[in-house]
Amino acid sequence: MRDLRRLLRPKSIVVVGGGAWCENVIRECRKNGFCGDICAVHPSKKELSGSPTVRSVAELPFVPDAAFVGVNRHSTIEIVQTLAKIGAGGAVCFASGFKEASAELEDADNLQDVLVEAAGEMPILGPNCYGFINALDGAALWPDQHGLVGVTNGVAILTQSSNIALNLTMQKRGLPIAYLATAGNQAQTGLSAIAEALLGDERVTAIGLYVEGLDDLSAFENFARRAKKAGKPVVVLKIGRSAQARSTTMSHTASLAGSAVGASALFSKLGIAEVTSLSTFLETLKMMHMVGTLADGSIVSMSCSGGEASLIADLASDRNITFPALSATQKTVLNELLGDKVALANPLDYHTYIWRDVDSMSHVFSIMMEGEASFGVVVLDFPRADRCDLDDWLQVIDAVEIAKNKSGKPMGILSSLQETMPEAIALDLFARGLVPLCGLEDALAAIEAAAFAGKEPSKDAIHIPRTPKEETVIGEAQAKALLRSHGLRTPKSISVHSSKRAADAAVQIGFPVVLKGVGFAHKSEAGAVALLLKTRQDVMDAASTMPAETFLVEEMISDAVIELLIGVVLDPAHGYVLTLAAGGVLTELLQDSFSMILPVSRSDVETALDQLKIGCVLKGYRGQPACDRAAIVDAVMSVQAYAMSAAVSEVEVNPLLCGENFAIAADALIRCEV
């Protein structure tokens, strides 16, 4: 792996190019207090934004740690090659017109390959990217204005999108951002490599990733495991859905396990918190910067309003957040402090009886924090400073700080709206060791994410799939045979080529039987399946109406309690995605599924089954018998064993018939390498 330390923490910088973008790099470095050497390269200008210039890279008075290359795409390649030859620490490639423009420019893909070759072992960011800002050391290889200020520690935010990165620098939430970096096309250096490099900076407290697509699955796994070992939590905002997820597919599995599902399953396996909006992304980074991770999602909420107490309880009801009940001791003390008119509960509406009384407020908050909760919040919306007096609200901050120090547990102040948490207040809260949280929904999502990031990830290394070069579809009979060789249980079956032989096969198997027409991915829709056939004539009549020449005759499994789907689909960016779902005709109706990245353990499968809406049916529902969960888990492990032993694109068992003492695959298909 290339060493990015010189590039990201430079002591000398060179800017190549003469436009306004390049001038801004020099201005931003000076504005941010960069103390190292700065030089510019331009063939005719004598100076650039106050810095001396030389006519070429070869004439530089020093070998730069970092270079901003702000010239056209063809010249970029020449400059990068020269920088690599003189031993520069790395370069930001600002120019566009590379692989991101392959639909518009015929030479775009090839030009990007040439750029990577020109760089050799020298790290480059981009092309098609703004670069990075190091707010710790004042280095800003960044061609635009931005909103960052110098910090002594803080979070690192990495994105592929330069504009998203620029927008994030304008946040007014008080979040200290130590590094902001963009990866652009990730031609050579991806988000994973940048993120792993920043783990080594002790001043970085947490890492946030805005991901359009992962650069390298193995590199990302290595980064995630190193981050966990270093105690630096990670939050991801993943956007984009692949054509795989949008297109019509031959199986249900591929439509259930699109790229976004695969990404979520990957993050879950690696213990990385995933969020779905930029506002939650920032709030989660606040939590991670100040608190790190939480042991669980148990919280205490305190406010002087019943409306706020009820609202936060309602909004938390769909999340993995709990409000531990108050103990008898807590209630006794709180009753003495608040009086008989206050209903003692968590969330607590402490009314305004103790408003403006710092000692009483801090005592109440401290008693509330004595329970089992991992985190405490006081809901407090600050009035407009330009129209109102903040003194009473500032006393609440003092009380929360006292309670936090006394309890030894992390606490925050939560404004129900972003507008009611002024930036100056947020900065003050951070300085006091309190988390300034904005927006009830975003804050609860952030708390949930911090709790998830505190869980131990799977220790099993991700199975890196081998993408099939040429694919073929294996029909039901052969697919079942392959899966059966790995332990999957299937019905007795015979393949035949005429209705008479089908009737003979039915007699041999024993009635009742199922008759299937061979050659259809979705047999029900094609009229190629008939159930509960009890006589020879039933079989012959059914065969005569099917649009098929080859038939599969199977024993009828008639005492199933529920049908499941087991599927594995190849997601090139994230690995093999295993999906468990309601099966048969319920697959589309219920949209009830849970996905994981291979490999999975038996306990992983048990947990996944409990996550399904139909999980209660598996355990026995309203007098119905419970299903044989061990047999179901055996079936899943058999499908996994086959998928990991071959170059497959897709494996699906649907339905898996589940009963009191069996789990039998009634249908299967495989798409794999020829």
Side-chain angles (χ1 to χ4, degrees):
M1 180 178 291
R2 294 173 176 83
D3 190 345
L4 301 179
R5 285 176 294 181
R6 285 178 64 198
L7 173 61
L8 297 176
R9 300 176 65 174
K11 295 181 179 178
S12 58
I13 294 172
V14 64
V15 178
V16 184
W21 300 109
C22 293
E23 289 183 336
N24 195 71
V25 172
I26 297 174
R27 281 197 301 269
E28 290 300 326
C29 284
R30 290 207 174 108
K31 185 174 75 174
N32 288 1
F34 180 70
C35 298
D37 295 324
I38 301 177
C39 188
V41 175
H42 195 276
S44 59
K45 291 185 176 182
K46 300 297 184 183
E47 59 89 27
L48 193 69
S49 194
S51 286
T53 63
V54 295
R55 289 177 298 176
S56 69
V57 171
E59 298 178 22
L60 284 170
F62 55 82
V63 176
D65 290 325
F68 182 88
V69 182
V71 296
N72 68 58
R73 61 193 186 122
H74 292 286
S75 297
T76 293
I77 294 173
E78 298 174 13
I79 297 297
V80 164
Q81 188 172 42
T82 304
L83 287 167
K85 285 181 180 179
I86 67 171
V92 170
C93 300
F94 178 56
S96 58
F98 292 88
K99 190 164 286 188
E100 88 286 350
S102 57
E104 295 79 23
L105 300 173
E106 290 184 4
D107 64 344
D109 284 4
N110 179 64
L111 207 62
Q112 182 157 308
D113 293 337
V114 174
L115 173 63
V116 172
E117 183 178 354
E121 290 305 307
M122 183 185 74
I124 59 172
L125 303 186
N128 184 39
C129 84
Y130 264 26
F132 69 92
I133 304 166
N134 174 345
L136 298 162
D137 305 307
L141 276 77
W142 188 263
D144 205 342
Q145 60 185 346
H146 63 82
L148 296 193
V149 295
V151 295
T152 56
N153 69 353
V155 304
I157 296 178
L158 314 180
T159 81
Q160 287 168 257
S161 166
S162 295
N163 200 59
I164 291 293
L166 176 61
N167 295 342
L168 289 172
T169 72
M170 305 301 175
Q171 57 90 22
K172 297 181 181 180
R173 300 166 186 248
L175 175 68
I177 300 175
Y179 286 94
L180 183 95
T182 64
N185 290 8
Q186 303 186 95
Q188 177 217 69
T189 306
L191 289 178
S192 304
I194 302 170
E196 185 160 357
L198 294 180
L199 287 176
D201 192 327
E202 69 282 354
R203 300 167 296 177
V204 172
T205 55
I207 293 180
L209 303 175
Y210 178 90
V211 177
E212 295 172 18
L214 293 182
D215 52 319
D216 181 276
L217 181 56
S218 294
F220 187 79
E221 180 182 11
N222 290 337
F223 152 68
R225 296 196 185 282
R226 277 201 60 203
K228 182 66 71 171
K229 187 176 181 179
K232 297 190 178 183
V234 181
V235 59
V236 171
L237 173 55
K238 171 72 171 65
I239 65 161
R241 294 183 177 273
S242 70
Q244 174 198 39
R246 293 193 299 267
S247 65
T248 302
T249 55
M250 61 175 284
S251 75
H252 298 295
T253 301
S255 62
L256 289 172
S259 181
V261 174
S264 296
L266 175 67
F267 301 146
S268 178
K269 188 177 187 71
L270 294 175
I272 291 176
E274 183 182 13
V275 297
T276 57
S277 72
L278 287 172
S279 55
T280 303
F281 182 72
L282 290 171
E283 294 305 305
T284 303
L285 283 171
K286 286 185 194 177
M287 285 289 299
M288 291 178 167
H289 168 70
M290 185 54 67
V291 176
T293 61
L294 297 174
D296 54 45
S298 60
I299 68 170
V300 165
S301 173
M302 297 155 279
S303 67
C304 62
S305 163
E308 291 168 347
S310 297
L311 186 55
I312 197 169
D314 285 348
L315 292 174
S317 62
D318 293 331
R319 298 191 175 278
N320 291 318
I321 289 178
T322 60
F323 298 91
L326 301 180
S327 68
T329 301
Q330 285 175 296
K331 288 183 177 181
T332 298
V333 179
L334 289 170
N335 181 256
E336 294 173 358
L337 292 167
L338 297 173
D340 295 332
K341 295 180 181 180
V342 175
L344 302 178
N346 180 22
L348 175 69
D349 167 18
Y350 60 84
H351 294 228
T352 54
Y353 301 125
I354 56 174
W355 190 251
R356 301 186 187 91
D357 184 340
V358 174
D359 289 341
S360 293
M361 286 191 292
S362 64
H363 198 174
V364 167
F365 300 158
S366 298
I367 295 301
M368 288 292 293
M369 293 301 295
E370 287 181 356
E372 300 175 357
S374 296
F375 186 67
V377 293
V378 173
V379 181
L380 187 67
D381 288 84
F382 293 89
R384 292 179 55 136
D386 59 339
R387 299 178 183 176
C388 306
D389 185 347
L390 273 63
D391 286 350
D392 291 350
W393 282 259
L394 298 180
Q395 292 183 57
V396 180
I397 297 177
D398 294 336
V400 175
E401 183 181 12
I402 292 169
K404 186 266 296 183
N405 292 335
K406 184 175 181 180
S407 69
K409 291 184 178 181
M411 293 185 68
I413 290 182
L414 166 58
S415 64
S416 58
L417 301 172
Q418 183 189 342
E419 293 85 350
T420 54
M421 175 65 76
E423 185 174 18
I425 295 290
L427 290 169
D428 179 56
L429 292 175
F430 272 128
R432 294 170 181 244
L434 300 170
V435 187
L437 294 168
C438 307
L440 292 176
E441 291 179 282
D442 289 330
L444 289 170
I447 293 168
E448 182 181 44
F452 181 85
K455 297 181 182 300
E456 281 299 313
S458 168
K459 290 183 171 58
D460 294 327
I462 293 168
H463 178 74
I464 306 300
R466 180 167 63 86
T467 303
K469 296 178 181 178
E470 293 183 47
E471 292 182 346
T472 186
V473 176
I474 295 177
E476 178 181 351
Q478 187 181 353
K480 284 180 176 175
L482 286 170
L483 293 169
R484 192 163 50 244
S485 69
H486 285 78
L488 185 67
R489 185 178 171 187
T490 62
K492 299 174 186 176
S493 63
I494 300 175
S495 180
V496 296
H497 297 283
S498 71
S499 58
K500 181 180 181 305
R501 289 181 177 176
D504 293 340
V507 173
Q508 183 177 341
I509 290 173
F511 293 104
V513 297
V514 178
L515 182 69
K516 300 175 181 178
V518 175
F520 302 93
H522 302 296
K523 298 179 180 64
S524 298
E525 290 88 333
V529 60
L531 307 176
L532 207 61
L533 303 179
K534 298 179 179 178
T535 67
R536 287 177 57 91
Q537 192 60 47
D538 288 345
V539 174
M540 295 180 67
D541 290 345
S544 67
T545 63
M546 286 186 185
E549 296 181 357
T550 303
F551 303 95
L552 193 64
V553 184
E554 290 188 340
E555 67 173 313
M556 179 76 192
I557 310 298
S558 57
D559 50 352
V561 175
I562 194 72
E563 297 178 348
L564 290 178
L565 174 148
I566 306 171
V568 174
V569 66
L570 171 63
D571 182 337
H574 309 115
Y576 277 130
V577 183
L578 169 68
T579 297
L580 302 181
V585 297
L586 296 179
T587 302
E588 290 94 347
L589 291 175
L590 293 184
Q591 291 291 300
D592 180 20
S593 64
F594 189 88
S595 294
M596 300 171 284
I597 296 293
L598 297 189
V600 297
S601 66
R602 295 184 69 88
S603 62
D604 291 334
V605 178
E606 289 276 6
T607 300
L609 293 174
D610 290 336
Q611 298 298 314
L612 296 176
K613 298 172 188 174
I614 61 170
C616 57
V617 178
L618 297 175
K619 295 178 181 179
Y621 186 70
R622 292 195 173 183
Q624 292 294 314
C627 294
D628 187 340
R629 286 172 67 96
I632 295 172
V633 175
D634 287 342
V636 175
M637 302 307 286
S638 296
V639 172
Q640 171 177 259
Y642 168 73
M644 291 176 61
S645 70
V648 303
S649 296
E650 200 169 349
V651 182
E652 180 173 287
V653 171
N654 186 24
L656 180 77
L657 303 175
C658 305
E660 282 188 88
N661 55 9
F662 63 84
I664 299 175
D667 201 352
L669 64 83
I670 294 172
R671 192 153 49 97
C672 63
E673 191 168 75
V674 174

